[in-house]
Amino acid sequence: MQRRTFIKGVAASSIGLLSATHLNAKSQKIENKKTIQGREIFLTIDYTKVNITGQEAIATTVNGQISGPTLIWQEGERITIHVTNNLKTSSSIHWHGIILPPDMDGVPGISFDGIPAGETFTYSFDVKQHGTYWYHSHSGFQEQSGVYGTIVIKPKEKEPFAYDKDYVVMLSDWSDERPESIYRKLKLSADYYNFSQRTVGDFFSEVKEKGFSNAFGARKMWNEMRMTDRDISDVTGYTYTFLMNGENPATTFQALFQKGEKVRLRFVNGAAMTFFDVRIPGLKMTVVAADGNHVQPVMIDEFRIGVAETYDVIVEPEDKEVYAIFAQSIDRSGYALGSLTSNPNLKAKAPQMDPKPLLTMVDMGMKMQMDKKGEKKGAMKCGASMDMKPKMAMKSMKFEKMKNAKYPQTPLAMKRGVGTTMMAMDPQYRLDDPGVGLRGNGRKVLTYADLKNRYSTANDATPVRELVLHLTGNMERYMWSINGIKYEDAKPLVFKYGERVRITYINDTMMNHPMHLHGVWSDLETGDDAHLVRKHTIISQPGSKISFRVTMDARGAWAYHCHLLYHMTDMFRKVVVV
Ligand SMILES: [Cu+2]
């Protein structure tokens, strides 16, 4: 039995049936009321009653809707946004991936003081880029409870690809629980939402909380779905309902097309904690942009989108009238669903979810060729499976060059202890690894190695130094940090204005961390220095190593953190460019 069958309708008043953004590419006519276009924009952050799961809950919303309105900007224009905070607590809006002055970036404590309850803050900046981005609150856990939306920036110049229809596909995770309560539960018991790992004691406390039949029913349901903990996600479909443009899988978002049309889909992962694996069974997708920036077109069947990443794809529907836009959560505890259809009366059926993924030795940062003894040790320690052996053969010269690149290292403070119970023994570059749960599934899955900048980066400066940052944690105690030091104990990372640096992550944990550096672009090394792919959020895979380059061309103070909402508090650094 699937949880989805319990989902009732969504209150039209609060969520709306038009939350899909339809940007008609040819006429540039906006067919959706939930879209705001123009140089001066008014947004309000409010408490709003919503019904997403069949049960009423209070969300924090932008202009009363989930997701918030899609903002359409024009490259080259100056944009002014008045944000009124009607909450009882301080709030903020951060414009994710937008290059702007530091005091407009919207991070309380770093860019500004936040927007106090009842007050309005006016943001104003020049738009110097184009593509698909998003915005969200950077205060408390407001992003989880609804303060997010998409930004589409129209380009000054014609884009190098054609399409007839243009849709935003905002993916997110919703919970009827208060986010503060989710965080508290994770702190008390890190595997709280990985139901099958919970103890008998936990079960009885839940009985106390919910009553026996509810507690038992939930447990039975999850057992029937064969949900077991594999440390893939901290927070799962046990509490989450996964949304596509604010629609749950029962109400389903619809993207309409006419036969013969090319459709651009702008995927945004606006979830608090969920990575999604996205595919449209029966259709190839051509990826044309990553994190807002054009890439060399690559045709794929499926892609993984980390929290805060965006991908633009173009699809050409063929004979079928209806296709499923299917976004299963990385741990397969649920999915978001939409319909790509030529017939508004048709709704897509979700395909079967893939089997629950198992972490492998590779995800633990173990050696590729382990002896028998070593394999066994690794397997027992972490309960991982050896049944999938991803090809880790980055044998091309390009990868070798990247792996062997040497730059002067800047030593950084490192603290090993209770906060760093995990350590990658032999972290490898895994750019051509689709990641846990997607290996060898018979589909062409996008990997970072497939991403190449559409334009040349051959003349970009070479890094003058390298910083190695370990992403660290203690899973059992739900502690997260960088180099074993959490934000409140850490000194800012200081950079010289204009310098080009290489940053390398070594992920000592068994989780994916989507790392986001504000204010400047992150140029990801994918093996081709002449086409570094320009991103704002970079997934660091479990037990792996990954490098990118940054030109520190924005003076001021910036936030730098893991974008998983419940990791962010501690896996965070202040960056200062002087
Ligand atoms: Cu993280």
Side-chain angles (χ1 to χ4, degrees):
M1 189 166 13
Q2 296 236 341
R3 181 161 181 264
R4 302 301 146 207
T5 56
F6 300 124
I7 291 165
K8 292 172 192 156
V10 176
S13 59
S14 54
I15 303 296
L17 299 170
L18 286 167
S19 57
T21 299
H22 176 193
L23 311 151
N24 188 312
K26 276 180 180 156
S27 63
Q28 302 292 344
K29 191 179 127 211
I30 307 306
E31 295 187 4
N32 189 311
K33 290 168 190 160
K34 306 283 182 177
T35 296
I36 302 179
Q37 192 162 14
R39 293 174 189 222
E40 188 166 26
I41 292 172
F42 295 84
L43 300 177
T44 60
I45 304 172
D46 293 282
Y47 297 110
T48 306
K49 248 186 218 168
V50 296
N51 188 336
I52 290 170
T53 63
Q55 188 176 306
E56 242 177 33
I58 301 291
T60 54
T61 62
V62 180
N63 289 13
Q65 62 184 75
I66 289 179
S67 43
T70 294
L71 310 181
I72 319 276
W73 301 346
Q74 173 65 49
E75 183 183 14
E77 283 189 355
R78 185 165 189 86
I79 200 95
T80 301
I81 311 139
H82 310 279
V83 180
T84 300
N85 173 18
N86 292 326
L87 304 181
K88 288 177 190 143
T89 56
S90 171
S91 189
S92 58
I93 298 284
H94 162 62
W95 318 99
H96 189 110
I98 307 298
I99 299 299
L100 38 59
D103 53 342
M104 292 291 125
D105 198 43
V107 181
I110 290 184
S111 330
F112 73 149
D113 295 333
I115 313 170
E119 293 192 15
T120 299
F121 183 85
T122 299
Y123 296 85
S124 193
F125 48 86
D126 295 322
V127 179
K128 296 174 175 170
Q129 64 205 94
H130 58 82
T132 308
Y133 301 89
W134 67 299
Y135 60 90
H136 60 85
S137 169
H138 226 289
S139 303
F141 300 126
Q142 289 165 13
E143 185 195 316
Q144 170 83 86
S145 50
V147 184
Y148 55 84
T150 304
I151 300 168
V152 172
I153 309 175
K154 291 189 194 166
K156 247 197 255 182
E157 281 164 35
K158 202 176 172 303
E159 285 181 285
F161 40 80
Y163 53 94
D164 305 291
K165 290 268 163 64
D166 190 348
Y167 291 95
V168 160
V169 185
M170 162 60 88
L171 303 169
S172 63
D173 46 23
W174 167 264
S175 173
D176 283 341
E177 287 185 82
R178 294 184 62 237
E180 291 76 11
S181 145
I182 294 176
Y183 187 62
R184 203 182 56 240
K185 284 174 179 165
L186 288 167
K187 277 292 203 189
L188 288 171
S189 165
D191 54 7
Y192 185 92
Y193 294 98
N194 286 311
F195 198 84
S196 62
Q197 260 207 357
R198 296 165 62 203
T199 63
V200 174
D202 291 332
F203 177 66
F204 283 110
S205 56
E206 196 185 1
V207 168
K208 246 192 239 164
E209 208 177 291
K210 290 187 179 170
F212 182 81
S213 68
N214 283 341
F216 183 74
R219 178 159 205 161
K220 188 161 169 276
M221 185 173 78
W222 285 99
N223 284 343
E224 278 166 4
M225 289 174 74
R226 293 177 296 116
M227 292 294 135
T228 52
D229 173 39
R230 296 291 190 278
D231 282 337
I232 307 288
S233 290
D234 305 333
V235 191
T236 66
Y238 176 62
T239 190
Y240 280 152
T241 298
F242 301 109
L243 306 180
M244 190 176 286
N245 287 332
E247 303 288 344
N248 70 37
T251 55
T252 63
F253 151 70
Q254 239 180 13
L256 291 170
F257 68 88
Q258 283 171 350
K259 271 222 160 83
E261 283 185 327
K262 288 185 180 181
V263 183
R264 178 182 192 165
L265 299 171
R266 300 170 183 266
F267 287 92
V268 179
N269 188 344
M273 290 297 283
T274 309
F275 279 43
F276 292 97
D277 293 334
V278 179
R279 62 195 155 98
I280 304 176
L283 281 187
K284 295 270 181 202
M285 299 181 273
T286 302
V287 179
V288 293
D291 289 5
N293 295 297
H294 292 155
V295 294
Q296 294 179 19
V298 50
M299 204 184 254
I300 52 152
D301 298 312
E302 185 169 27
F303 63 91
R304 170 162 292 172
I305 186 166
V307 170
E309 288 188 305
T310 79
Y311 282 110
D312 291 35
V313 308
I314 291 176
V315 293
E316 295 181 57
E318 288 160 15
D319 302 337
K320 284 206 298 187
E321 272 189 295
V322 61
Y323 297 86
I325 306 170
F326 183 63
Q328 53 184 342
S329 70
I330 185 176
D331 67 339
R332 315 297 180 235
S333 67
Y335 55 82
L337 178 68
S339 300
L340 175 65
T341 178
S342 55
N343 179 347
N345 301 317
L346 290 181
K347 266 186 184 178
K349 275 203 193 79
Q352 190 116 48
M353 277 198 284
D354 287 337
K356 178 95 178 162
L358 303 169
L359 287 167
T360 66
M361 230 167 50
V362 166
D363 301 301
M364 290 180 270
M366 305 293 262
K367 275 205 171 72
M368 289 182 283
Q369 272 124 19
M370 287 285 267
D371 55 38
K372 274 275 172 260
K373 205 176 146 200
E375 263 191 17
K376 262 188 186 153
K377 199 177 158 203
M380 278 164 67
K381 199 168 126 201
C382 302
S385 151
M386 299 300 146
D387 63 343
M388 280 182 272
K389 284 226 167 66
K391 64 165 177 49
M392 292 293 105
M394 300 210 311
K395 278 180 189 134
S396 86
M397 292 306 286
K398 282 175 182 175
F399 287 131
E400 284 306 313
K401 201 179 148 205
M402 189 183 74
K403 282 157 73 175
N404 298 328
K406 291 263 183 294
Y407 303 96
Q409 301 271 321
T410 301
L412 294 170
M414 176 85 202
K415 196 178 141 199
R416 292 272 176 206
V418 67
T420 57
T421 48
M422 294 167 278
M423 204 166 122
M425 303 302 283
D426 185 27
Q428 297 291 324
Y429 284 106
R430 301 217 312 263
L431 291 150
D432 58 353
D433 174 11
V436 62
L438 293 178
R439 295 166 190 144
N441 68 6
R443 304 187 286 263
K444 165 64 186 159
V445 181
L446 182 77
T447 68
Y448 276 172
D450 297 321
L451 293 178
K452 284 180 199 301
N453 201 319
R454 182 130 197 168
Y455 313 105
S456 174
T457 59
N459 296 324
D460 288 6
T462 310
V464 295
R465 60 181 178 122
E466 179 178 24
L467 280 74
V468 177
L469 298 174
H470 285 256
L471 309 179
T472 43
N474 174 333
M475 221 112 168
E476 290 72 37
R477 301 192 36 186
Y478 210 74
M479 295 165 76
W480 304 102
S481 55
I482 295 171
N483 282 358
I485 304 164
K486 58 182 196 218
Y487 179 42
E488 61 176 22
D489 301 329
K491 289 201 183 96
L493 292 169
V494 181
F495 296 95
K496 228 165 77 188
Y497 176 75
E499 74 172 332
R500 180 98 166 147
V501 299
R502 184 198 214 204
I503 297 177
T504 295
Y505 296 132
I506 293 181
N507 186 344
D508 280 332
T509 78
M510 290 188 333
M511 290 201 71
N512 285 285
H513 300 285
M515 300 299 293
H516 173 41
L517 173 56
H518 291 222
V520 287
W521 285 113
S522 300
D523 297 329
L524 180 62
E525 295 181 6
T526 59
D528 180 358
D529 286 1
H531 295 93
L532 298 170
V533 60
R534 183 145 267 206
K535 295 190 95 266
H536 48 61
T537 306
I538 290 174
I539 299 174
S540 166
Q541 292 197 37
S544 80
K545 190 175 176 184
I546 194 163
S547 302
F548 62 102
R549 302 176 190 181
V550 180
T551 299
M552 295 292 174
D553 54 4
R555 277 185 222 276
W558 303 99
Y560 183 19
H561 58 91
C562 173
H563 220 285
L564 296 179
L565 189 64
Y566 304 112
H567 293 191
M568 195 193 290
T569 329
D570 298 325
M571 200 179 254
F572 194 115
R573 284 291 183 274
K574 182 178 179 172
V575 160
V576 182
V577 181
V578 290

